[in-house]
Amino acid sequence: MIGLYSPGHSLLHRAPTLLKLAVLSAGVLWVGILGEPWQLLVALGIIAGLYPVAGVPPRAAWQQIGPILWILLIAVPIQALLSGWVPAALMAGRLLAAVALAALFTLTTTVTAVLEGFQRLLRPFDRWVDADRVGLLVAITLRCIPLVAEIVTEVLEARRARGTQGSLLALAVPVVVRSLYAADAIGEALVARGLDD
Amino acid sequence: MTARTLTVRDLAQIAIFAALIAALGVPGPLSLGVIAVPITLQTLGVMLAGAVLGARKGFFAVLLFLALTAAGLPLLAGGRGGLAWFTTSPSAGYLYGWLLGVLVIGYLTSRLLPKYPFWPALGATVLGGIVMIYAIGVPVTAFTLHLPIWGALVDASKFLPGDAIKAVVTVLVARQVHRAYPGLIPRRRAVTASSATSTPTSTATPTPARASDE
Amino acid sequence: MSTIVFDGVSHSFGDRSVLRDLSLTLTERRIGIVGANGSGKSTLVRLINGLITPDAGTVTVDGLLVAKNAREVRHRVGFIFTNPDNQIVMPTVEEDVAFSLRKRGLGAAEIAGRTQAALDRFGLSAHAAHPAHRLSGGQKQLLALAAVLVGEPQVVVADEPTTLLDARNSRRIADLFRAMTQQVIVVTHQLDLLEDFDRVICIEDGTVVADGAPAVAIDAYRALLA
Ligand SMILES: Nc1ncnc2c1ncn2[C@@H]1O[C@H](COP(=O)(O)OP(=O)(O)OP(=O)(O)O)[C@@H](O)[C@H]1O
Ligand SMILES: [Mg+2]
């Protein structure tokens, strides 16, 4: 379960997940209320400085932050036309800072740690939510992803073998039906292996 | 997830559909013929979850998928993932819209079964899978990018043709699936009846329609 | 060895009658079940651990009524499916083996120890932390076996465990079944697998048509196919 995590031992990597989450939320709020361009520049500088501290490779960072730049490429001119360049720049800066903060969290926290964090957050609600069962469901889903990906690939290949390019429908029906059969088989295996609660 | 009301079979279906939404993101955004705008198949997965599994199981499948993505797995089309997509991204609203959309499709579908007539089903799927999702997605985009609503709406409209195709496909698929595989969405009345009788016998897995080639 | 008793068992799916008034007592160490496609073999063995509850009649394992004591029975009876892909329920190899030990009141160290031992026994230790879906077909079936045997069942039921494997892997699985100390009940279309079994049962259209030493029952089955 590596995901987007970028392995490392920095302070950011070692900080408790929920603390990081709290700081992240506070950071996003703080960036959101900054009204002066220079304040925002400082904030952006601090956040950018955190990346080398965390030892995140530039490529991994770019993968996270790149997509937002494309959106800004469209949004900033529109915003500038509507209300001027300064508000447009402020908006872009805030958004960039917030995305970079959130990405930093994702890059320095393992999926397992985040899921444990989620479970901890769920604990006050354990009258309604069975955290153990949620964990189980997460694990089964992770197992099912390659299984379903394989079903999709096989259906695509079968289609190609028959030379029928076919419609989306000809792809979706067998994929859904075979996925449902797989669900039945997995359900049966779970029962056979002792999950009957 | 009130543990007692979901059978093991329900759990497996939820997990498989969460995985299906993820698997539909693997090809990445793709262009469909005439439409120049890249579309992702993941919203098709969301619509299918509602139309095939119903509101409850479909909702959990989408929620599970989103939770795994938020936790940092690169499951969104194009290998994206992480908390940013749920908090600060201008498109974050659409992801929350999925949750509302799947509920609406699932609920309306359960009322349309077992007949599942085409036009009402398409109406239900469009309402849940497009109107509801945009209803949350568009204002969030407008808010984060400081755009007027109409601006965000114009921006979103480029996805409309793709989403319309997906809604049609969803209805056609769900029709065939419900015929081949009845009982996926419990009827309202039947829910209370079966949960009352089936609690003592803890095994709920025997399958009404197993593939004979298994 | 355990005693498994089918008493007047009938079962249908919809209006298709799959098992008809079937009575059997299974006590032998190694039992094979053969029969044509659709004859009811899978349905029959699924009754043993309560994956299917019969419409009529009863199934007991060591006197325990399966329909009433499913949990208890499933601890005693391990089940191997044809397609290991569907049997593996956890993302990584070791997690999948450990899954069989949950809710048995074992400590974490005990679970880790037993899991490690089971992986060693089936030559999978090198893959412990790998994603299960990366294993080869043969390794996946080995993992399925490891995950069942780690629970120390008294009976192992296998429904066509070698059907999806190549010749070498299916021989390997067959050898493992031969070496098992547990009572073993195997459904298969690979008749050579059953040559040294203690008893072979031939099912046709939901009833037992031959039952006895492998040579006798397999001959009867071949005659039926001819
Ligand atoms: N869940 C089910 N729903 C409906 N019909 C079923 C179900 N399971 C099995 N059947 C039907 O019951 C009959 C017996 O099936 P079963 O799987 O027991 O046969 P089998 O002897 O194992 O065959 P094979 O050698 O092909 O595995 C078949 O006609 C099959 O289609
Ligand atoms: Mg069979």
Side-chain angles (χ1 to χ4, degrees), chain C residues 107-123:
Chain C
E110 175 77 18
I111 291 181
R114 288 204 202 177
T115 299
Q116 186 55 48
L119 291 176
D120 281 343
R121 179 171 163 206
F122 290 94

Side-chain angles (χ1 to χ4, degrees), chain C residues 30-61:
Chain C
R30 267 175 249 285
I31 300 168
I33 296 177
V34 296
N37 289 134
S39 54
K41 306 179 298 296
S42 297
T43 309
L44 179 72
V45 293
R46 276 172 162 75
L47 294 169
I48 299 175
N49 71 345
L51 288 174
I52 296 176
T53 308
D55 294 341
T58 57
V59 183
T60 57
V61 176

Side-chain angles (χ1 to χ4, degrees), chain B residues 34-129:
Chain B
V34 285
I35 311 161
V37 180
I39 66 163
T40 92
L41 290 180
Q42 285 186 312
T43 26
L44 175 63
V46 174
M47 294 185 202
L48 282 170
V52 170
L53 293 187
R56 206 165 58 115
K57 288 184 280 181
F59 177 81
F60 284 134
V62 174
L63 185 65
L64 195 54
F65 169 82
L66 293 177
L68 288 175
T69 311
L73 289 174
L75 299 179
L76 288 171
R80 295 166 300 146
L83 218 48
W85 296 98
F86 293 84
T87 48
T88 52
S89 157
S91 56
Y94 289 95
L95 298 181
Y96 296 106
W98 288 4
L99 290 171
L100 180 62
V102 74
L103 279 177
V104 168
I105 295 177
Y107 173 73
L108 294 177
T109 301
S110 75
R111 317 228 80 181
L112 292 173
L113 285 173
K115 283 178 68 187
Y116 202 63
F118 180 81
W119 290 107
L122 186 63
T125 310
V126 167
L127 183 66

Side-chain angles (χ1 to χ4, degrees), chain A residues 69-192:
Chain A
L69 294 179
W70 291 111
I71 296 174
L72 290 178
L73 214 60
I74 302 165
V76 168
I78 299 179
Q79 175 72 12
L81 284 177
L82 290 171
S83 48
W85 283 103
V86 175
L90 276 175
M91 181 272 296
R94 282 198 201 106
L95 208 54
L96 201 59
V99 168
L101 268 177
L104 197 58
F105 172 83
T106 298
L107 288 165
T108 59
T109 319
T110 62
V111 173
T112 316
V114 182
L115 292 175
E116 273 167 13
F118 284 176
Q119 282 198 357
R120 192 118 23 102
L121 288 175
L122 284 177
R123 204 165 292 162
F125 308 100
D126 62 4
R127 269 191 56 194
W128 300 283
V129 187
D130 179 345
D132 194 38
R133 209 161 171 88
V134 174
L136 188 70
L137 195 51
V138 165
I140 298 170
T141 305
L142 292 174
R143 158 69 191 121
C144 288
I145 291 173
L147 198 66
V148 177
E150 208 162 290
I151 291 177
V152 173
T153 318
E154 277 175 23
V155 171
L156 280 172
E157 272 167 10
R159 235 159 52 117
R160 214 166 297 141
R162 270 186 272 113
T164 52
Q165 263 311 307
S167 59
L168 201 51
L169 191 65
L171 170 70
V173 173
V175 165
V176 171
V177 170
R178 286 185 53 178
S179 296
L180 286 169
Y181 287 147
D184 277 344
I186 288 201
E188 210 175 31
L190 285 167
V191 171

